[in-house]
């Protein structure tokens, strides 16, 4: 799994994730988003572009849930968008749309994060 900052403007960071979001790519003590943005990133809005995710396993889903909880507890917001077909299918089967903020595209993710209707 690779994470890249695609844009930052004040309180909003846009990150792209590509490759396998899996146990093999997630060390237990490692938090890739804070490693990329710094430890104070959780009080911001982060839009996570998942269009290049090739595989998502239970460890990857657990990581997303943990990140979402950390963002909410710190007053920030994590919104997933542009899910690859594989990631979309995994999250749909697990009904993760009931827990995670998921949008079809970046524009919709921004509107969801800011609480504006689409």
């Amino acid at each position: 799994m690779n994470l890249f900052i695609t844009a930052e403007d004040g309180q909003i960071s846009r990150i792209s994730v590509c490759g396998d979001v899996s146990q093999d790519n997630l060390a237990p003590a490692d938090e890739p988003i804070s490693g990329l943005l710094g430890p104070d990133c959780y009080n911001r809005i982060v839009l996570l572009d998942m269009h290049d995710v090739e595989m998502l396993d239970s460890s990857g889903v657990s990581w997303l849930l943990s990140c979402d909880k950390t963002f909410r507890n710190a007053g920030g917001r994590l919104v997933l968008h542009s899910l690859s077909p594989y990631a979309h299918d995994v999250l749909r089967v697990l009904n993760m749309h009931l827990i995670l903020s998921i949008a079809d595209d970046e524009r919709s993710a921004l509107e969801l994060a800011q609480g504006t209707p689409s």
Side-chain angles (χ1 to χ4, degrees), residues 92-111:
R92 181 184 48 80
V93 166
L94 296 173
N95 286 320
M96 288 293 110
H97 65 281
L98 300 173
I99 301 167
L100 300 171
S101 298
I102 302 173
D104 289 336
D105 54 36
E106 185 177 332
R107 192 183 111 248
S108 299
L110 183 59
E111 290 172 352

Side-chain angles (χ1 to χ4, degrees), residues 33 44 46-48 64 67-68 71 76-80 101:
I33 292 178
R44 294 187 272 177
V46 171
L47 307 181
L48 190 62
L64 290 171
C67 286
D68 182 67
F71 273 95
R77 185 94 189 254
L78 176 66
V79 181
L80 315 178
S101 298

Side-chain angles (χ1 to χ4, degrees), residues 59-91:
S59 295
V61 173
S62 178
W63 171 68
L64 290 171
L65 290 168
S66 176
C67 286
D68 182 67
K69 182 178 180 180
T70 303
F71 273 95
R72 281 187 284 115
N73 288 342
R77 185 94 189 254
L78 176 66
V79 181
L80 315 178
H81 71 87
S82 307
L83 275 60
S84 68
Y86 189 92
H88 178 270
D89 289 347
V90 169
L91 295 177

Side-chain angles (χ1 to χ4, degrees), residues 20-22 50 53-58 60-61 64 86-87 90-91:
D20 295 348
V21 183
S22 66
M50 297 184 63
V53 170
E54 296 170 4
M55 200 268 293
L56 178 64
D57 71 4
S58 59
V61 173
L64 290 171
Y86 189 92
V90 169
L91 295 177

